[in-house]
Amino acid sequence: MEEKTAKKAGKRKTAVRKTAPADFIRNFIKEQKKRMEKQKKWEAHLKETMSPKHYQVHLEREKKRRMVLIAIVAAVAALFLFFIGIMVRGIGKLFTGHPASAPAAVVETETETGAVYAEKDVTIGSTGCMLLHSPFISSYVDANGNYDYSSVYKYITPYYSAPDFMTCEFEGTLGGPELGYSGYPNFKSPDVIIENIRDSGVDLQMLATNHSYDGLSSAFHRTMEVYEKDGIAYTGMRQTTADKRYYIADVDGVKIGFMDYVYETTGTGVNLNGIPLEEKDWDLINSFDYDDLDTFYQEAAQNIKDMRADGAQFIVANMHWGLEYHLTESDEQREIAQKLCDLGVDALIGGHPHCLQPIDVFENALDGHQMFCIFSEGNALSNQRTYLMTNEMPTGHTEDGVMVTLSLHQDTAGNVTIKDVDILPTWVYRFQENGSKYYILPLDDVDGLAEKTGITDLGDDAKNSYERTMEELGDGLAKAKAVFGKSEKGE
């Protein structure tokens, strides 16, 4: 390639300095060497961490991918030369009356430099846990026994609908009227709630939580049946072991992979919140044991490989973990986050503590891969009011939530990276109207919230919620913006 470039440069009758092409070539070769060294390190890491069987599958898959890429680019190059030939012959005929003769030789094309993917930007959003405590059961039912929670999302729907793809956690089960409805400690919710969540703009609901088995096996399976019947996307649970443990979303042509996991409690087999699962259900929920994280890491690594094989260009891990009512993450959370980063996860979204926990950025020391992390997005919807939480968390943090939006960029090689991070603080407002009713309120303009909504009794509660959220997340958000902003600029 150096020789060809030098020959071309020698033929040019311009005033360009002779050193310019050489500088370009040297820089190009230097960059390629860096990429090759980085790829060698990554391949060595995979060979060390994968089983021989899985590593061989990886090599075969990479070989096929390169062959397909070369074939596509070669076809595009051939088509381009074909049309150039037609144009040359047309110009020759225009001036001479005869088509121009074809060139004696065709210059080789660097096939691996062709663009395969369109450059584009997409956004993905997420928000925290949605729990229907007892007032949601008693206050949202009409005379005919029908439920409707759509009013809860009146003010937040434009925000949930803004990202190209939006997710949340639904915490509970759908046992149906036969099993009955209840709030804490066993969350059994009316079916309509998942429709109301979807209609608010949420595209995917995460179901692996510590309350996923509150209605035992029958409600566990019925929950998924309702999602399937209503055509609502979910992950974290599956009907059979033949179903995938993850979900791949096509977001305007960009493929995003999601996997969702919940911590187990002690006991025989698999336990959630102290409830033992029937053995037939053990492998149907994505769960991990704090005392056996190696097994979880192996399963997560397999999920990531399978998602990549299914075309995922960006991977999100949702983790239901940590300690309730703690404003800082635990050592176990940090350990798990670092390992998931090392395995190739691009963004980690946490939930369960019922309060916000910090934002941070993790980096793989081996290859420099960086992962966005929020340890907990808090409560998106609940009845955990400050005056009810005097023993657990009387500070008001259980009323706070956040919506995180990641702006992603796809380059011409198909790589998808974070280019920006934004947050929207949210607050659960409770009022009385034939029982306790609720709104999820956006706090992007807390000073103008009363005028915007017509709610006259906000007092300082909304402003206090906003300040708590920014105090908890502000530093981490600034760090994430600095890291991924630099990444976008190529710094």
Side-chain angles (χ1 to χ4, degrees):
M1 183 174 176
E2 260 188 272
E3 184 180 346
K4 293 176 191 173
T5 307
K7 287 180 179 178
K8 289 181 182 179
K11 292 180 180 179
R12 292 184 187 137
K13 307 252 185 213
T14 69
V16 177
R17 290 187 303 119
K18 293 181 180 180
T19 55
D23 289 341
F24 172 80
I25 293 169
R26 279 194 294 271
N27 291 334
F28 178 80
I29 293 173
K30 186 177 179 181
E31 287 300 317
Q32 293 307 307
K33 285 182 177 179
K34 285 183 180 179
R35 291 182 61 185
M36 290 174 66
E37 287 300 319
K38 187 175 181 180
Q39 183 63 27
K40 285 179 180 178
K41 288 181 180 179
W42 180 240
E43 288 294 333
H45 171 68
L46 293 180
K47 188 174 182 179
E48 181 181 345
T49 56
M50 287 182 175
S51 67
K53 178 181 177 181
H54 288 139
Y55 183 66
Q56 188 60 39
V57 171
H58 161 75
L59 292 178
E60 291 296 323
R61 187 161 57 236
E62 284 298 297
K63 181 179 179 181
K64 290 179 181 178
R65 185 185 67 80
R66 286 193 293 269
M67 291 177 65
V68 170
L69 178 62
I70 291 172
I72 291 173
V73 177
V76 171
L79 188 62
F80 174 77
L81 290 174
F82 173 75
F83 281 113
I84 289 295
I86 292 176
M87 291 175 63
V88 170
R89 285 192 292 272
I91 292 171
K93 186 174 182 180
L94 177 65
F95 287 100
T96 66
H98 302 283
S101 58
V106 178
V107 178
E108 279 187 52
T109 304
E110 291 288 336
T111 58
E112 292 187 358
T113 62
V116 177
Y117 295 84
E119 278 205 61
K120 65 173 62 177
D121 297 324
V122 299
T123 52
I124 59 173
S126 66
T127 195
C129 301
M130 299 199 184
L131 308 90
L132 298 192
H133 287 92
S134 298
F136 289 92
I137 308 303
S138 59
S139 300
Y140 281 88
V141 60
D142 65 17
N144 297 316
N146 299 313
Y147 291 83
D148 180 10
Y149 300 99
S150 57
S151 63
V152 171
Y153 302 96
K154 176 180 179 179
Y155 297 107
I156 202 65
T157 290
Y159 297 86
Y160 285 177
S161 302
D164 296 309
F165 197 83
M166 180 70 186
T167 71
C168 80
E169 277 194 299
F170 171 67
E171 194 157 0
T173 59
L174 306 175
E178 298 81 8
L179 188 63
Y181 307 125
S182 61
Y184 180 83
N186 297 118
F187 289 90
K188 296 187 281 290
S189 305
D191 295 354
V192 71
I193 181 59
I194 66 170
E195 297 179 38
N196 298 143
I197 293 173
R198 175 200 59 197
D199 295 343
S200 73
V202 173
D203 300 290
L204 175 67
Q205 298 180 34
M206 307 293 174
L207 301 188
T209 76
N210 59 311
H211 290 288
S212 298
Y213 216 72
D214 281 5
L216 303 181
S217 184
S218 61
F220 176 76
H221 287 278
R222 186 183 181 279
T223 297
M224 290 182 280
E225 290 167 2
V226 175
Y227 274 89
E228 298 282 354
K229 176 179 66 69
D230 292 343
I232 298 174
Y234 69 93
T235 191
M237 293 162 31
R238 54 184 182 163
Q239 289 276 39
T240 71
T241 54
D243 299 324
K244 294 179 179 179
R245 290 187 179 275
Y246 54 85
Y247 182 88
I248 304 287
D250 188 317
V251 184
D252 191 25
V254 178
K255 290 192 174 182
I256 314 294
F258 296 88
M259 64 177 182
D260 178 35
Y261 274 80
V262 59
Y263 72 96
E264 298 173 10
T265 51
T266 57
T268 304
V270 176
N271 282 253
L272 295 180
N273 224 33
I275 302 174
L277 275 64
E278 292 187 25
E279 187 171 356
K280 65 184 179 67
D281 298 330
W282 286 1
D283 204 34
L284 300 183
I285 185 159
N286 291 348
S287 62
F288 69 93
D289 184 349
Y290 280 116
D291 294 326
D292 183 19
L293 289 176
D294 285 342
T295 297
F296 166 61
Y297 296 148
Q298 291 170 13
E299 188 169 288
Q302 186 63 52
N303 289 344
I304 292 167
K305 286 187 286 183
D306 291 344
M307 282 190 276
R308 295 293 187 192
D310 283 349
Q313 300 161 267
F314 189 91
I315 291 177
V316 181
N318 276 75
M319 298 296 295
H320 201 79
W321 61 353
L323 301 173
E324 290 182 318
Y325 317 120
H326 282 64
L327 291 172
T328 56
E329 72 279 10
S330 66
D331 291 341
E332 290 85 359
Q333 284 172 278
R334 292 202 69 85
E335 176 191 335
I336 294 168
Q338 183 62 62
K339 183 63 177 181
L340 290 177
C341 174
D342 293 345
L343 290 174
V345 169
D346 298 294
L348 193 160
I349 308 296
H352 171 65
H354 301 301
C355 59
L356 296 167
Q357 290 183 341
I359 289 172
D360 205 348
V361 177
F362 286 79
E363 182 171 330
N364 183 337
L366 185 64
D367 64 3
H369 169 71
Q370 292 175 315
M371 179 188 78
F372 170 85
C373 173
I374 179 168
F375 287 102
S376 175
E377 290 184 315
N379 287 336
L381 180 65
S382 81
N383 185 51
Q384 290 190 319
R385 313 308 297 175
T386 301
Y387 68 88
L388 296 174
M389 305 298 293
T390 54
N391 293 328
E392 296 88 353
M393 180 167 263
T395 56
H397 289 85
T398 53
E399 298 182 9
D400 308 334
V402 71
M403 173 182 165
V404 174
T405 301
L406 301 179
S407 298
L408 309 181
H409 179 74
Q410 174 182 270
D411 65 18
T412 55
N415 302 310
V416 176
T417 53
I418 300 172
K419 61 179 287 188
D420 198 10
V421 180
D422 284 302
I423 66 170
L424 172 73
T426 63
W427 175 59
V428 181
Y429 168 72
R430 172 175 168 165
F431 62 102
Q432 295 299 310
E433 186 180 283
N434 298 321
S436 296
K437 300 293 176 64
Y438 306 81
Y439 292 134
I440 303 174
L441 295 181
L443 303 183
D444 54 332
D445 179 16
V446 70
D447 292 330
L449 187 61
E451 182 179 355
K452 180 179 179 180
T453 62
I455 301 173
T456 59
D457 62 343
L458 293 173
D460 292 329
D461 289 343
K463 184 177 181 180
N464 291 339
S465 174
Y466 175 84
E467 291 175 351
R468 287 192 298 265
T469 295
M470 296 313 297
E471 181 180 3
E472 185 67 16
L473 303 182
D475 289 346
L477 176 64
K479 178 180 179 179
K481 280 183 168 291
V483 168
F484 295 112
K486 287 182 180 180
S487 175
E488 170 64 14
K489 295 172 186 175
E491 296 179 6

